[in-house]
Amino acid sequence: MCLAVPAKVLELRDDNMALVDISGTQREISLMVLDGDAAPGDYVLIHVGYAIEKIDEEEAARTLAMFEEMSLLDEEVPEGEDPLV
Amino acid sequence: MSVLTAFRDSERARSIIERIHRRNTGDISIMEFCGGHTVAIFRSGIRSVMPESVRMLSGPGCPVCVTSNADLDRAVALAKTPGVTITTYGDMLKVPGSRESLMQVRAQGYPVEIVYSTLDALKLAEEQPDREIVFFAIGFETTAPAAAAAVLQARKRGLKNFSICSVMKLTIPGARALLAMGEVKVDGVIGPGHVSSIIGSDAWRFLPEEHGIPVAISGFEPLDLLAATDAIMEMHEQRRPALVNTYSRVVRPEGNRKAWGAVEEVFTLDEAGWRGFGIIPESGLVLREEFADFDADRRFDITVEDSEEHPACRCGEVLRGVITPHECKVFGTACTPESPLGPCMVSSEGSCAAYYHYQRQLA
């Protein structure tokens, strides 16, 4: 139900709509609840016809690098700090 | 797109699986609260590569499944109201209410339309000004902005024949209710990725802070789920419960303020009945007074009586993680996806359906 699929923005259209490419299929979706602007070339997540969030490619690369490390917690909890702060 | 396929990379997956197997975590029960995770965990075969000490549990993360029969019966009654066309997402159609499903109602000739989006329901209202178009809105925080946007659009366009019957629910009160019942041991939680994209990862801080339960917000690719599981195991091992966000390419700490702002503009909180849980206070979204014109419950006088559950269906216990589908006597016999007795077998995200498709035989 909360399934959301990645899509590439192709062009912006009137009324806060955009044409996107979802794995090769073109669809018109709404940008009405997207926080911030989307531009052609951006990747967004589509859920029931609305873009709900951008996909941050730099952040994705950082996450992949983090997965390579021995621990995911170092990012979250610097040495000697209480994790709940 | 490399950013997508990278999270399915088998080499990277293998290294995280090896790390998981090197851990000395001991017995650990990890629960997800998201139907999408239920399916992704089965589909990717993650269960089969986990050490025996790791139990993967599913919580009440499927909005179709937690919808009570009383609410379903209300949709059925609305569908039979003269002049009304019910529109809803496809997941709802086959769910048996007390007496019939929307699919059966449609077979009797009543107009029940499946829509992909609330945008389609709005379009229908514009094309058929002589019909009352009612959108039966189910879903969690991910789906609520689409319903809110539709109401705001309907008001802007001056549509007088569009309304919403909301049975939308919030995941956090559901998670809190489950923990308060104390029926199942939960050592760690895989946090729902798309719900969190709307409400923010910070919304889950109550798990480590109030319950001492580690939580890892996860996406839906194999690597996301493996990394989230690994992070939970590490926190459990070190007795350092915290919040880790392994889906930061989508989920921000504060979430999508604009989307949630739209939800708060249109809806307010009310108690809601959940299958398997009963009434949970402040867990449902209902239209605010100023949007009463768009509230199907206010516009149509619907009374539903004598809602009942199928006596053999144990969906309620499945949703609370108390039993696995295999423990239900009718699983795979009287209750199958073709002829479901309960919603957990209907919805593609339901635990029973996932077990039926991916793990029919007891291991």
Side-chain angles (χ1 to χ4, degrees):
Chain A
M1 182 79 215
C2 295
L3 184 72
V5 290
K8 189 176 186 172
V9 178
L10 299 174
E11 60 181 68
L12 301 181
R13 296 196 165 167
D14 289 349
D15 216 15
N16 226 344
M17 302 292 285
L19 185 72
V20 300
D21 177 298
I22 305 174
S23 345
T25 311
Q26 294 192 1
R27 259 204 111 97
E28 202 174 58
I29 57 96
S30 170
L31 300 172
M32 194 175 156
V33 297
L34 188 71
D35 206 354
D37 297 326
D42 284 348
Y43 283 95
V44 288
L45 267 184
I46 308 292
H47 174 66
V48 295
Y50 293 79
I52 55 167
E53 195 54 90
K54 275 192 195 178
I55 303 171
D56 185 331
E57 291 183 71
E58 284 174 24
E59 196 58 45
R62 268 197 294 275
T63 302
L64 285 168
M66 192 173 83
F67 288 175
E68 307 277 324
E69 292 167 17
M70 288 310 292
S71 168
L72 296 170
L73 300 195
D74 300 341
E75 289 276 312
E76 281 290 310
V77 190
E79 275 308 301
E81 267 191 38
D82 181 350
L84 296 185
V85 172
Chain B
M1 176 187 177
S2 65
V3 70
L4 295 181
T5 51
F7 287 89
R8 297 171 195 164
D9 182 69
S10 58
E11 275 309 306
R12 286 190 174 102
R14 192 167 297 126
S15 77
I16 303 178
I17 293 165
E18 282 167 4
R19 196 157 73 206
I20 285 172
H21 277 267
R22 284 196 301 269
R23 294 199 176 282
N24 299 310
T25 314
D27 286 345
I28 181 168
S29 297
I30 298 174
M31 184 177 260
E32 40 77 7
F33 281 103
C34 170
H37 281 158
T38 308
V39 175
I41 287 168
F42 270 111
R43 193 177 286 160
S44 59
I46 284 178
R47 277 165 176 260
S48 59
V49 297
M50 282 292 150
E52 278 196 9
S53 56
V54 178
R55 270 189 81 206
M56 305 292 259
L57 299 168
S58 294
C62 153
V64 175
C65 307
V66 297
T67 302
S68 67
N69 272 7
D71 285 339
L72 267 164
D73 296 344
R74 206 153 39 109
V76 165
L78 272 168
K80 292 182 170 183
T81 303
V84 167
T85 299
I86 278 270
T87 57
T88 190
Y89 301 127
D91 314 32
M92 282 314 292
L93 246 64
K94 280 166 80 177
V95 180
S98 300
R99 284 160 290 274
E100 52 199 343
S101 67
L102 284 171
M103 185 85 97
Q104 289 163 311
V105 170
R106 188 169 67 171
Q108 294 161 28
Y110 295 101
V112 176
E113 299 277 348
I114 294 178
V115 291
Y116 159 72
S117 169
T118 54
L119 298 165
D120 302 335
L122 284 176
K123 206 163 145 215
L124 207 60
E126 282 176 324
E127 288 167 356
Q128 304 184 7
D130 56 334
R131 302 278 312 170
E132 284 286 346
I133 307 299
V134 176
F135 179 68
F136 184 56
I138 67 155
F140 289 137
E141 292 92 333
T142 321
T143 314
V151 172
L152 293 169
Q153 282 291 314
R155 186 176 65 173
K156 192 173 147 192
R157 299 180 199 175
L159 285 174
K160 300 276 182 251
N161 63 328
F162 176 81
S163 59
I164 279 193
C165 171
S166 171
V167 297
M168 294 187 294
K169 293 175 179 65
L170 304 184
T171 48
I172 303 252
R176 283 183 180 274
L178 182 121
L179 292 171
M181 288 167 118
E183 291 172 295
V184 280
K185 185 167 87 77
V186 180
D187 300 311
V189 166
I190 295 174
H194 293 146
V195 162
S196 303
S197 77
I198 303 295
I199 62 174
S201 53
D202 279 346
W204 297 93
R205 286 202 178 274
F206 77 97
L207 285 170
E209 290 172 7
E210 295 173 32
H211 296 272
I213 296 175
V215 55
I217 310 295
S218 172
F220 298 83
E221 300 293 348
L223 281 195
D224 294 319
L225 287 156
L226 286 168
T229 303
D230 184 48
I232 289 166
M233 289 171 80
E234 184 174 8
M235 290 187 271
H236 182 72
E237 227 169 84
Q238 300 186 4
R239 292 185 176 77
R240 289 162 71 195
L243 170 87
V244 171
N245 180 7
T246 63
Y247 198 34
S248 55
R249 63 189 183 278
V250 167
V251 175
R252 292 173 287 158
E254 73 281 9
N256 180 339
R257 289 274 166 87
K258 188 176 179 184
W260 196 245
V263 172
E264 288 188 320
E265 184 181 348
V266 175
F267 296 98
T268 184
L269 295 182
D270 196 4
E271 63 178 25
W274 294 51
R275 185 183 300 272
F277 292 83
I279 300 284
I280 303 178
E282 300 202 333
S283 68
L285 292 171
V286 294
L287 281 112
R288 288 182 182 277
E289 192 63 44
E290 55 265 46
F291 291 96
D293 291 352
F294 301 97
D295 186 350
D297 290 329
R298 288 183 174 102
R299 283 172 64 154
F300 304 99
D301 190 20
I302 300 289
T303 45
V304 173
E305 282 164 17
D306 309 324
S307 290
E308 54 188 25
E309 305 292 329
H310 192 285
C313 171
R314 297 181 71 186
C315 271
E317 291 156 279
V318 169
L319 289 165
R320 299 202 303 275
V322 178
I323 64 164
T324 59
H326 285 297
E327 292 171 76
C328 176
K329 278 199 174 62
V330 290
F331 172 80
T333 52
C335 181
T336 63
E338 290 71 39
S339 60
L341 297 182
C344 302
M345 189 60 97
V346 179
S347 171
S348 56
E349 295 184 345
S351 285
C352 298
Y355 269 78
Y356 186 86
H357 291 299
Y358 295 102
Q359 202 178 324
R360 205 173 311 176
Q361 304 304 326
L362 271 171

